[in-house]
Amino acid sequence: MALAAAAAAAAAAAVSFPPLLSRPAACVLLRCGRHRRLPPLLLRAASSSTSSAPDFNITFAEPTAPAPSKPKPSSPAPSAEQVVPWIVRGEDGKPSMRTAPPPDVLQAIALAEAEAKKAKKDPRRSHKGAAALATPVANAKVRERKAAPATAPPKFSKAARRFYNENIKEHEPQRLAKVLAAAGVASRRTCEELIFQGKVTVNGSVCTAPQTKVDISKDSIYVNGNRISKKLPPKLYFAVNKPKGYICSCGEPKSIISLFDDYLKGWNKIQPGVPKPRLFTVGRLDVATSGLIIITNDGEFAQKLSHPSSNIMKEYVVTIDGPVHRNHLIAISEGTKIDGVKCIPDLVEPLDVQSNTKRTRIRIAVHEGRNHEVRELVQNAGLEVYALKRVRIGRFRLSPDLGIGKFVELKQTDLKSLEGKK
């Protein structure tokens, strides 16, 4: 018993080290070679002033005499006296030590134990236990994923989109006037007039509203007693080398569309069972102008290509009757007013004189495409136009191998070039 009491007293003396030491006493302890060096924490405590209070409110229990030794049980049980310290920051902002865990940790542990019990019964619930201990940021992300749509729209390839546009999109319900124009009845404006006049019936009833949505593959549509085919003609695109003296209006004796008479006569052999397309020009060239012009039956494409807002550049070659000087080129490049709007060309450049003629040629590029714009620019500079030919639209240039009055069908790459895309 005496030995046990002496050991307890030594332990108490070692723990209860005096919190305040004078600097000389600390130095004596440090310089003593036979004693062990003090820990850094005790050195800082020893050198601090008496007025500073410790951050942690830590107290130690009174030493107790060791209990008499007992035989070890067969299965070791955890000691009830073992305490796990928890350092918690209080409302005043100072940390303190506690013997019990915080309430939120106890709640998280209880939820985890409950989920573990459920997971034993149902293995599909095993992943929910981890979600209970997740941080608020992770929980917010989970809620965002639940609120977001299940799947994002897939990105299809170009071939898939082209197949959809050609085979599926065309059969969706569309406006009646648009369907009649696509079926080759007449222009969209003329089709609207036919609808207003009561000459169009849909499923046996007269329809006088052009915006009525119809499905040509399901609805029965008649115009002037003639039934519209369930199939629509395919979209066609042609580049034509327009001859001088032809006009762009449809139905005229010397119209550009008349150049396709032989092609349309053999249509039933090329596309049996498919109605003939109604072709028209994209934009216009006056009767005295020759060169590149686009023919199609796609109204949306024609509107997009010919509208001034598209800012698609068009290049012309102007043959001048008479000499051309530098001041003429400067006057053309400065622009002129057309219908009250100042039009300035994008490019003015003289070309080499051809061997078979002595007339001067000028390359002029514009993007607005106003009526007679190039002729007005040249005449305003004091020059006389002998011949005018369009050679380029966007990035698509008229092939020199394409003869006058001939046409060639365009591919998808050519259509992108017309819009100025690479």
Side-chain angles (χ1 to χ4, degrees):
M1 295 298 290
L3 293 176
V15 172
S16 58
F17 190 84
L20 299 176
L21 286 177
S22 61
R23 188 177 185 86
C27 295
V28 169
L29 290 174
L30 289 175
R31 292 172 183 174
C32 184
R34 304 179 67 178
H35 296 280
R36 292 191 298 175
R37 192 179 186 86
L38 287 178
L41 180 61
L42 295 179
L43 290 177
R44 286 195 297 270
S47 61
S48 61
S49 64
T50 58
S51 61
S52 62
D55 290 339
F56 295 95
N57 185 15
I58 302 175
T59 59
F60 295 89
E62 293 295 335
T64 57
S69 60
K70 295 181 180 180
K72 293 184 180 180
S74 58
S75 59
S79 176
E81 296 182 358
Q82 292 181 356
V83 178
V84 178
W86 293 85
I87 299 176
V88 182
R89 190 176 294 276
E91 295 180 357
D92 56 352
K94 294 184 178 181
S96 61
M97 180 176 290
R98 298 182 183 179
T99 58
D104 53 350
V105 176
L106 292 175
Q107 184 180 2
I109 294 174
L111 290 174
E113 291 177 352
E115 292 295 338
K117 292 180 181 179
K118 292 180 181 180
K120 292 181 180 179
K121 298 179 181 180
D122 188 1
R124 292 176 296 179
R125 295 176 175 266
S126 59
H127 67 283
K128 295 183 179 179
L133 296 174
T135 59
V137 177
N139 291 334
K141 291 182 179 180
V142 172
R143 288 193 295 270
E144 290 178 1
R145 286 197 296 268
K146 291 182 179 179
T151 56
K155 296 182 179 180
F156 299 100
S157 62
K158 293 182 179 180
R161 293 197 299 268
R162 189 181 304 115
F163 177 83
Y164 171 79
N165 294 333
E166 296 177 355
N167 299 276
I168 300 176
K169 185 177 179 180
E170 296 297 333
H171 299 290
E172 293 180 352
Q174 297 179 350
R175 292 185 294 110
L176 179 58
K178 182 179 179 180
V179 170
L180 295 180
V185 175
S187 64
R188 190 173 299 186
R189 185 175 299 178
T190 305
C191 290
E192 291 178 353
E193 294 177 358
L194 294 175
I195 295 171
F196 288 137
Q197 294 172 4
K199 297 181 180 181
V200 180
T201 60
V202 178
N203 297 328
S205 302
V206 177
C207 183
T208 58
Q211 66 272 17
T212 303
K213 293 294 184 68
V214 295
D215 188 349
I216 195 172
S217 62
K218 299 178 181 178
D219 297 327
S220 178
I221 305 173
Y222 283 81
V223 179
N224 291 329
N226 299 321
R227 184 171 182 175
I228 303 301
S229 175
K230 296 287 185 181
K231 297 181 179 180
L232 291 176
K235 299 294 178 64
L236 300 174
Y237 310 90
F238 299 94
V240 183
N241 190 356
K242 175 187 175 299
K244 187 177 180 180
Y246 279 73
I247 60 177
C248 295
S249 301
C250 300
E252 299 294 335
K254 210 172 182 181
S255 171
I256 299 178
I257 307 302
S258 63
L259 299 174
F260 291 83
D261 289 343
D262 295 337
Y263 176 81
L264 295 177
K265 286 180 181 178
W267 178 260
N268 292 331
K269 295 181 180 180
I270 302 173
Q271 299 283 350
V274 178
K276 291 183 181 181
R278 176 187 167 273
L279 301 177
F280 51 86
T281 61
V282 179
R284 291 177 179 273
L285 290 177
D286 57 60
V287 65
T289 304
S290 61
L292 177 63
I293 191 168
I294 306 301
I295 306 293
T296 183
N297 63 336
D298 189 349
E300 294 180 359
F301 173 80
Q303 176 68 14
K304 182 178 179 180
L305 194 65
S306 60
H307 200 272
S309 61
S310 59
N311 291 326
I312 297 177
M313 187 178 295
K314 303 173 181 64
E315 182 182 328
Y316 297 81
V317 174
V318 188
T319 304
I320 305 299
D321 191 3
V324 178
H325 303 289
R326 183 179 179 182
N327 57 343
H328 294 139
L329 300 177
I330 295 175
I332 296 174
S333 60
E334 290 178 351
T336 185
K337 281 190 176 182
I338 301 176
D339 298 333
V341 179
K342 185 66 175 293
C343 298
I344 300 176
D346 299 306
L347 174 67
V348 178
E349 182 183 10
L351 298 177
D352 297 335
V353 179
Q354 292 181 334
S355 58
N356 56 353
T357 179
K358 295 182 180 180
R359 293 186 175 90
T360 306
R361 298 183 304 155
I362 304 175
R363 178 188 288 115
I364 300 177
V366 296
H367 66 273
E368 294 187 10
R370 295 187 176 274
N371 190 23
H372 304 292
E373 180 177 359
V374 177
R375 292 183 180 273
E376 291 288 342
L377 289 171
V378 175
Q379 293 175 2
N380 182 68
L383 299 175
E384 184 177 353
V385 178
Y386 178 79
L388 179 61
K389 182 178 182 180
R390 184 161 65 184
V391 296
R392 179 170 63 89
I393 299 176
R395 296 178 55 253
F396 182 82
R397 185 173 295 274
L398 180 65
S399 175
D401 299 333
L402 188 62
I404 299 177
K406 303 298 180 179
F407 58 86
V408 60
E409 189 170 358
L410 301 178
K411 302 177 182 179
Q412 290 294 327
T413 55
D414 298 330
L415 299 181
K416 292 182 180 180
S417 299
L418 286 170
E419 297 177 1
K421 299 179 181 178
K422 294 183 179 180

